[in-house]
Amino acid sequence: MVSDVKYYPVFREHCKPPCYMDEHYLPTLVTKILPELNSNRSITWVDWSAGGPHPARFLRKDVSEEFLNRIRNGINCTYNGSITKVCFLFARKFHPSTLEPLLRIAPALLATGVILSSYLKNISFNFHVTQFSVSATTAIPQAPSIKNETSVLPRVGLKEYLKVPTDAKHDMEDEELLWRASMVPRINQYPFDRVPKIAFLFLTKGPVLMAPLWEKFFKGHQGLYSIYVHSSPSYNESYPESPVFHGRRIPASVLFSSQACIPLFNFSTVYSYLMNSTKNFVEAYDLEGPVGRGRYSHHMSPEITIEQWRKGSQWFEMDRQLALEVISDQKYFPIFQKYCKGPCYADEHYLPTFVSMKHGKRNSNRTLTWVDWSRGGPHPARFIRTEVTVEFLERLRSGRKCEYNGNSSTTCFLFARKFMPTALDRLLRFAPKVMHFNR
């Protein structure tokens, strides 16, 4: 209901007296979009028998135990598929003069408790209204006096509510963090001018060793990005932190390593490429052999079959919509947690498999991070100082063709790894010329 931006504006524009929105909007909306979730009845009793534009109003003389019991048990209705006499939980309109007899009758009326019993298979559910007692002479409490305060409380508007903490640290467990991250607005239109951001998550053992290069990459683009560093729990942050990464570390329960990644283009190019893309970039492919299908566990069937099993790079880029689907997945991720063990690495199989199964049309099936596996072995090639040249970097930037938004492109990789710390001085020297970090 609160996310309805289609029907509510129609009512607001066209439902004018004698049309009253509070009587027509919700009944129409619920009947139109979610009729199967509605009982088509109210649990608030009202007496319209006298006719007129307003329901009957009850005074002190009208309130009796018999009258209240008639409201409580006077009709039959359906509750969870069964017939019940408990159809109303509330009633109106009662004048303030009825408060004294209501307080006097309430203990006798509810002393035995109200029991609603419904049965689902062999399970019985009992709901009790706890007994309470109120003196018949109970005085109506007076509202506390309000002092004339001159101080004005600070306004907590939407801007303040959405303000991002300067320090990314928290002590939430993974389950709590995923639940918190899944809380997003369902209304697509923002009630303020919003500038989309790119969130960069650095997976490291310790410090971000290429931080000086990333400093140049981010410089001058504040407000267009968010930075998070996911480091080993054993890292004590004794290494001096660069300004752009200061206070951006978040707790990690799984160890990843990516302190050897560099950008191949300037921030403006990366921002435009990602924001204008119609696809996500999660590498996914079907691979025969021990490091592909050989890692599949038949215990995952039937939810995940071997034909659906995929492998891919753990370095990915995805939009907010897909990210929300991933963190909200409570069906497939637990299967990976339970059965992807030993030689099976969830970071190489979970996202490729899940995205291919559920969101394949929105995925490019490729990664934007260049890695050299040509030398063989369980790890990609590492590049040292002498291997970093202008020609080498240009080859990474435009050395192959791929598809981008339905067209052929030579810009296929925005990042590259693995670069050793010894290569940093050359990368800093070549960045202005090759990567155009000054733009």
Side-chain angles (χ1 to χ4, degrees):
M1 180 185 74
V2 297
S3 305
D4 171 32
V5 294
K6 180 178 181 180
Y7 303 105
Y8 181 73
V10 176
F11 270 83
R12 189 168 55 186
E13 182 177 358
H14 300 292
C15 186
K16 308 293 184 182
C19 174
Y20 299 99
M21 285 186 62
D22 57 334
E23 295 181 8
H24 296 281
Y25 169 64
L26 276 182
T28 303
L29 177 71
V30 173
T31 302
K32 186 173 182 65
I33 65 174
L34 292 170
E36 68 279 3
L37 298 182
N38 190 34
S39 65
N40 287 325
R41 65 182 180 89
S42 172
I43 55 175
T44 300
W45 180 88
V46 183
D47 182 7
W48 288 96
S49 62
H54 301 289
R57 188 174 65 163
F58 300 98
L59 304 176
R60 187 179 190 280
K61 62 181 179 61
D62 300 311
V63 176
S64 66
E65 186 173 336
E66 294 75 20
F67 172 67
L68 294 177
N69 271 325
R70 191 163 64 250
I71 298 175
R72 285 156 47 94
N73 304 300
I75 69 169
N76 291 335
C77 60
T78 301
Y79 175 77
N80 285 353
S82 301
I83 299 299
T84 179
K85 285 186 172 295
V86 181
C87 302
F88 298 109
L89 303 183
F90 312 98
R92 61 187 297 266
K93 276 182 157 182
F94 287 80
H95 189 270
S97 64
T98 63
L99 183 57
E100 188 275 328
L102 287 171
L103 289 172
R104 176 166 38 83
I105 295 172
L109 199 64
L110 303 178
T112 57
V114 178
I115 302 177
L116 307 179
S117 298
S118 63
Y119 294 89
L120 179 61
K121 294 184 179 179
N122 296 322
I123 303 174
S124 174
F125 299 92
N126 295 314
F127 304 89
H128 298 268
V129 177
T130 305
Q131 178 180 349
F132 63 93
S133 60
V134 182
S135 170
T137 59
T138 300
I140 301 175
Q142 298 296 315
S145 60
I146 301 176
K147 296 181 179 179
N148 185 18
E149 299 285 351
T150 56
S151 60
V152 179
L153 294 175
R155 181 179 184 271
V156 183
L158 187 61
K159 182 179 179 181
E160 290 77 15
Y161 181 77
L162 297 176
K163 190 174 181 180
V164 179
T166 56
D167 195 329
K169 292 181 180 178
H170 61 79
D171 58 0
M172 287 185 281
E173 299 291 337
D174 287 349
E175 183 179 347
E176 297 171 322
L177 184 62
L178 290 174
W179 179 83
R180 175 63 184 87
S182 68
M183 298 170 59
V184 296
R186 291 184 59 186
I187 298 178
N188 294 326
Q189 293 85 358
Y190 288 82
F192 54 87
D193 293 331
R194 173 181 174 268
V195 178
K197 288 185 178 183
I198 299 176
F200 290 83
L201 175 60
F202 292 82
L203 308 178
T204 73
K205 289 181 178 179
V208 181
L209 299 181
M210 292 294 173
L213 184 67
W214 286 101
E215 289 273 2
K216 289 183 175 293
F217 172 78
F218 288 117
K219 186 177 180 180
H221 300 284
Q222 289 78 5
L224 297 178
Y225 62 84
S226 297
I227 296 174
Y228 303 94
V229 181
H230 201 50
S231 56
S232 168
S234 61
Y235 178 57
N236 60 10
E237 301 187 51
S238 58
Y239 195 93
E241 198 82 83
S242 63
V244 75
F245 293 103
H246 180 71
R248 305 313 300 167
R249 295 192 177 274
I250 56 178
S253 56
V254 180
L255 177 63
F256 291 88
S257 175
S258 182
Q259 57 263 61
C261 186
I262 67 166
L264 294 175
F265 293 87
N266 61 24
F267 183 89
S268 298
T269 301
V270 171
Y271 184 90
S272 176
Y273 195 98
L274 294 178
M275 288 300 176
N276 293 316
S277 175
T278 59
K279 299 279 188 177
N280 292 280
F281 297 93
V282 178
E283 186 180 49
Y285 53 91
D286 186 8
L287 181 66
E288 299 283 352
V291 298
R293 288 196 175 195
R295 294 175 175 176
Y296 172 79
S297 170
H298 290 281
H299 293 291
M300 295 182 174
S301 179
E303 286 79 9
I304 303 171
T305 66
I306 193 169
E307 290 78 18
Q308 296 170 319
W309 184 254
R310 294 293 183 270
K311 178 180 169 64
S313 169
Q314 63 265 58
W315 315 114
F316 58 86
E317 291 76 28
M318 62 177 65
D319 60 24
R320 177 185 290 265
Q321 185 179 1
L322 180 57
L324 288 170
E325 295 293 340
V326 171
I327 64 173
S328 302
D329 169 33
Q330 294 185 310
K331 180 177 181 180
Y332 301 102
F333 184 65
I335 296 175
F336 272 83
Q337 284 182 307
K338 188 174 183 179
Y339 298 115
C340 188
K341 307 286 187 180
C344 176
Y345 302 99
D347 58 329
E348 295 182 7
H349 294 281
Y350 167 64
L351 278 181
T353 301
F354 174 73
V355 172
S356 295
M357 288 176 61
K358 308 301 294 183
H359 308 282
K361 292 182 179 180
R362 295 161 50 193
N363 189 36
S364 65
N365 290 327
R366 65 182 179 92
T367 179
L368 295 179
T369 301
W370 181 90
V371 183
D372 181 9
W373 289 97
S374 63
R375 303 177 190 181
H379 301 288
R382 299 189 305 174
F383 299 96
I384 59 176
R385 183 181 187 276
T386 55
E387 295 173 289
V388 177
T389 64
V390 171
E391 294 74 23
F392 173 64
L393 294 175
E394 289 289 9
R395 191 164 65 250
L396 301 188
R397 286 161 50 91
S398 56
R400 58 169 287 184
K401 290 186 177 181
C402 58
E403 183 180 296
Y404 175 76
N405 287 354
N407 299 313
S408 179
S409 173
T410 58
T411 304
C412 303
F413 298 109
L414 303 182
F415 312 98
R417 60 187 299 268
K418 282 183 160 183
F419 288 81
M420 296 297 98
T422 58
L424 182 58
D425 65 330
R426 282 201 173 192
L427 289 169
L428 289 172
R429 182 158 27 109
F430 297 150
K433 179 180 179 180
V434 179
M435 305 168 193
H436 308 293
F437 280 3
N438 55 339
R439 295 182 183 177

